[in-house]
Amino acid sequence: MKHTSYIEISKSAYTKNIEFLRKEIGPKTALSVVVKGNAYGHGIENIVQIAEENGVRHFSTFSADEALRVCNVSKHHSEVMIMGMLHHDDLEELVRKGINFYVFEFARLEAAIAVAKKLGIKAKVHVEVETGFHRTGFEWEDREWLAKLLQDNLEFLELKGLCTHYAGAESISNYVRVRKQIKLFKKFKAWFDDQDIDFEKCHTACSAATLLYPDTKMDMVRIGIASYGFWPTQETYMYRFQSLPANNKNPLRRLISWKSTIMNTKAVKMGDFIGYGSSYMAPRDMTIALVPVGYGHGYSRMLSNQGKVLIGGMIVPVVGTVTMNSVAVDVTDLEKVQQGDEVVIIGSQGDKEITIASFGESSQQVNYELLTRLPQDIPRWVVE
Ligand SMILES: *Cc1c(COP(=O)(O)O)cnc(C)c1O
């Protein structure tokens, strides 16, 4: 291995998460696994592989490039759905490959119809409606014109879905806003029903909505963060804690472990400053170990004198500032440490664990951000 660190993805943890989520979702609702942001930093190719091994056949991406990556590795002709960005130039390829995509404005819908006409292949569209997120989606006032356009072009369109997205289902402070969104979505649905416009599936729920608002589950849910083993927020977990089975209070398992090895060790005398500047002065004679992971690898500078890693089954602190490519850690109290020893930056070693949450709190990033900021060039592989 030529890299300074690597990421392991646990397949058994993934299987547990999917089992738990399927129980939550129930048998009538389909599961789409969200793999945007390079599968929340886990690697699209890794996740599609293990998800398909667990029977998942529907994937959601943000953009067209991600959707094509899913298609390229899918072994089961899974459905792929783009929830966000595509260029109109990409539409031909997407329609030809049968990739589903959101339409949330007339220009995209018209472009899709034009491409479908030209190719003689129906475009698989999901109509996104604006219910209160205020980012994308057809407005209530758009409905008549939208309905006409859909009805006039049914031979060129497969109406795969009617959908929306909630503005913060993971926090109870947004309760009223989310409830309003659910109501408006149902109003849209009823209105389209009255016009005899049928959508194959209604889908609105992300992880938090699935876990906290049962009536948002509908025909399909779009689950990201929970499938990777994280509660959307601490609050979501606390809210659900009582209702979790007594023998499974911790049903979501982290998939990711981030590991490196010791580059070298060094003796430091009491009173010496470690690393740049004077942020850390050795309070005693010390042994430090250099770990070749720094802010350039996604290990935040905020973790200077704050972060912790695992070496030899012990939690050891970062001493001094995080530099671009390395951190120093205090290994004075470890019995035997040498170059090449495993360092766990996120994950377990023996009976100790560095959680992403603790790591996130000390660097003030939420799980989502921390995961997706892990540089794409750190090698990732699937382990049991
Ligand atoms: C990211 C995203 C999801 C998944 O959200 P999680 O909180 O990770 O479950 C669902 N729907 C849309 C439109 C998204 O952008």
Side-chain angles (χ1 to χ4, degrees):
M1 191 189 58
K2 297 184 189 69
H3 286 78
T4 70
S5 69
Y6 57 97
I7 289 169
E8 291 175 347
I9 312 286
S10 163
K11 188 169 141 183
S12 53
Y14 191 77
T15 300
K16 288 228 159 61
N17 297 342
I18 296 297
E19 275 170 12
F20 168 70
L21 290 166
R22 284 223 170 91
K23 275 205 199 91
E24 286 284 316
I25 295 162
K28 295 202 189 75
T29 300
L31 168 63
S32 181
V33 165
V34 179
V35 292
K36 66 191 183 193
N38 197 28
Y40 293 50
H42 294 67
I44 284 182
E45 289 72 16
N46 296 324
I47 294 301
V48 171
Q49 178 209 321
I50 61 176
E52 287 192 333
E53 286 170 21
N54 281 286
V56 173
R57 296 290 181 270
H58 199 289
F59 295 92
S60 299
T61 71
F62 175 72
S63 52
D65 59 312
E66 295 170 337
L68 292 169
R69 278 171 68 189
V70 176
C71 279
N72 286 341
V73 287
S74 170
K75 293 201 182 83
H76 295 274
H77 307 287
S78 291
E79 292 262 30
V80 187
M81 176 173 84
I82 300 168
M83 305 184 292
M85 183 62 193
L86 57 84
H87 291 279
H88 291 182
D89 292 353
D90 299 329
L91 279 169
E92 260 197 54
E93 184 177 10
L94 298 175
V95 170
R96 213 179 253 127
K97 292 209 155 97
I99 293 176
N100 294 223
F101 51 90
Y102 275 32
V103 289
F104 41 67
E105 49 161 28
F106 287 110
R108 184 182 287 186
L109 178 55
E110 282 158 6
I113 293 167
V115 165
K117 264 185 202 166
K118 179 178 159 200
L119 297 178
I121 307 172
K122 287 186 175 189
K124 298 182 176 180
V125 298
H126 294 251
V127 172
E128 187 188 18
V129 291
E130 173 62 73
T131 57
F133 189 42
H134 299 303
R135 301 202 40 173
T136 47
F138 287 103
E139 302 285 336
W140 177 247
E141 293 70 32
D142 292 334
R143 68 192 183 286
E144 310 254 348
W145 178 236
L146 174 60
K148 179 164 168 32
L149 201 57
L150 295 176
Q151 262 156 345
D152 289 352
N153 291 285
L154 281 178
E155 57 186 308
F156 308 114
L157 297 171
E158 247 182 82
L159 302 184
K160 299 292 282 187
L162 181 69
C163 53
T164 196
H165 188 52
Y166 299 111
E170 68 284 347
S171 170
I172 201 72
S173 61
N174 301 321
Y175 181 82
V176 173
R177 185 168 171 199
V178 170
R179 274 280 151 226
K180 268 194 188 150
Q181 288 192 267
I182 297 170
K183 212 169 144 195
L184 183 50
F185 183 81
K186 288 180 177 167
K187 195 167 138 190
F188 266 115
K189 171 71 169 64
W191 190 85
F192 282 113
D193 284 347
D194 284 346
Q195 316 301 309
D196 285 326
I197 298 178
D198 285 328
F199 296 92
E200 195 177 294
K201 284 188 167 70
C202 285
H203 54 94
T204 66
C206 58
S207 300
T210 301
L211 294 163
L212 299 184
Y213 298 84
D215 59 335
T216 64
K217 287 187 255 183
M218 305 183 193
D219 305 314
M220 181 167 83
V221 294
R222 308 180 304 259
I223 304 258
I225 197 78
S227 66
Y228 303 102
F230 300 95
W231 292 86
T233 49
Q234 184 68 12
E235 200 181 321
T236 317
Y237 182 49
M238 289 180 333
Y239 184 88
R240 282 302 310 278
F241 191 79
Q242 292 292 340
S243 60
L244 294 169
N247 62 356
N248 198 13
K249 286 289 184 197
N250 203 4
L252 295 177
R253 311 285 165 90
R254 165 183 51 76
L255 316 186
I256 223 165
S257 298
W258 186 14
K259 298 179 178 176
S260 182
T261 51
I262 292 178
M263 181 169 83
N264 70 307
T265 60
K266 192 172 189 55
V268 176
K269 286 260 177 295
M270 185 169 90
D272 285 347
F273 292 106
I274 294 173
Y276 290 120
S278 53
S279 79
Y280 189 89
M281 183 170 72
R284 55 176 173 163
D285 287 352
M286 291 173 70
T287 309
I288 58 158
L290 263 289
V291 182
V293 171
Y295 60 78
H297 304 104
Y299 197 83
S300 171
R301 277 195 80 231
M302 306 278 286
L303 294 164
S304 300
N305 288 310
Q306 301 276 331
K308 303 209 171 9
V309 302
L310 287 166
I311 298 176
M314 295 248 304
I315 295 176
V316 296
V318 169
V319 288
T321 53
V322 175
T323 64
M324 185 185 294
N325 298 111
S326 62
V327 289
V329 297
D330 175 8
V331 292
T332 315
D333 298 328
L334 269 65
E335 268 178 21
K336 201 165 132 266
V337 207
Q338 57 188 16
Q339 194 175 68
D341 283 358
E342 181 187 80
V343 179
V344 173
I345 303 156
I346 293 172
S348 322
Q349 205 181 42
D351 58 357
K352 302 271 193 323
E353 182 177 5
I354 309 276
T355 63
I356 292 210
S358 69
F359 189 90
E361 268 153 34
S362 42
S363 71
Q364 295 172 14
Q365 297 179 55
V366 288
N367 292 333
Y368 293 86
E369 184 177 347
L370 207 143
L371 288 167
T372 48
R373 282 167 63 114
L374 292 172
Q376 310 238 358
D377 58 2
I378 300 177
R380 289 149 165 80
W381 55 75
V382 175
V383 299
E384 270 311 304

